[in-house]
Amino acid sequence: MCDRVLVQLQGWYNRLQRDEVVAEWEEVQGRRSLHVHCHVSGGHALLAPIAGLRRSIFRRELPMVLKAFVHGDGALFGSRPELEEAAVWVYFHSNLPEFDRVECWGPLREAASSGPPSSPPPRASE
């Protein structure tokens, strides 16, 4: 019975927090790029007050995630070293316009070692 309650609570927490990072390769005009999606805030009112904090945590920790990705897929990068030069696009998804943005972090090799641009770029409407 305790296990069932724990699983239900974990499911609720996962739906509320959505701390996962999802990445996918895309090819546009013959060039590959890596698109990384991070959930900053959404339909849950509880996440709105901490959206800025969540975005800053994702920005701080994402280089480690990218480094682990490159390490974990070493065979892929060994056979396709050009993928380390692919542009990394990071999507911060939020229902709050000030936190819903896309950032280009440059080539994967740099994004995994030096991290995000020094400051988030302004939104197009700013």
Side-chain angles (χ1 to χ4, degrees), residues 41-58:
S41 68
H44 298 286
L46 296 174
L47 291 181
I50 60 169
L53 175 64
R54 286 176 55 83
R55 186 185 70 195
S56 67
I57 291 170
F58 276 120

Side-chain angles (χ1 to χ4, degrees), residues 97-117:
E98 63 268 29
F99 299 116
D100 189 46
R101 59 186 342 132
V102 179
E103 296 177 5
C104 181
W105 283 30
L108 177 57
R109 179 187 320 277
E110 292 175 22
S113 62
S114 62

Side-chain angles (χ1 to χ4, degrees), residues 52-66:
L53 175 64
R54 286 176 55 83
R55 186 185 70 195
S56 67
I57 291 170
F58 276 120
R59 289 183 97 240
R60 183 184 70 226
E61 300 298 331
L62 198 52
M64 179 182 62
V65 171
L66 294 173

Side-chain angles (χ1 to χ4, degrees), residues 68-99:
F69 172 68
V70 171
H71 178 74
D73 279 341
L76 171 67
F77 290 102
S79 65
R80 305 259 331 257
E82 72 277 6
L83 291 177
E84 286 192 73
E85 299 305 319
V88 176
W89 292 91
V90 181
Y91 297 77
F92 295 99
H93 299 283
S94 176
N95 62 333
L96 303 169
E98 63 268 29
F99 299 116

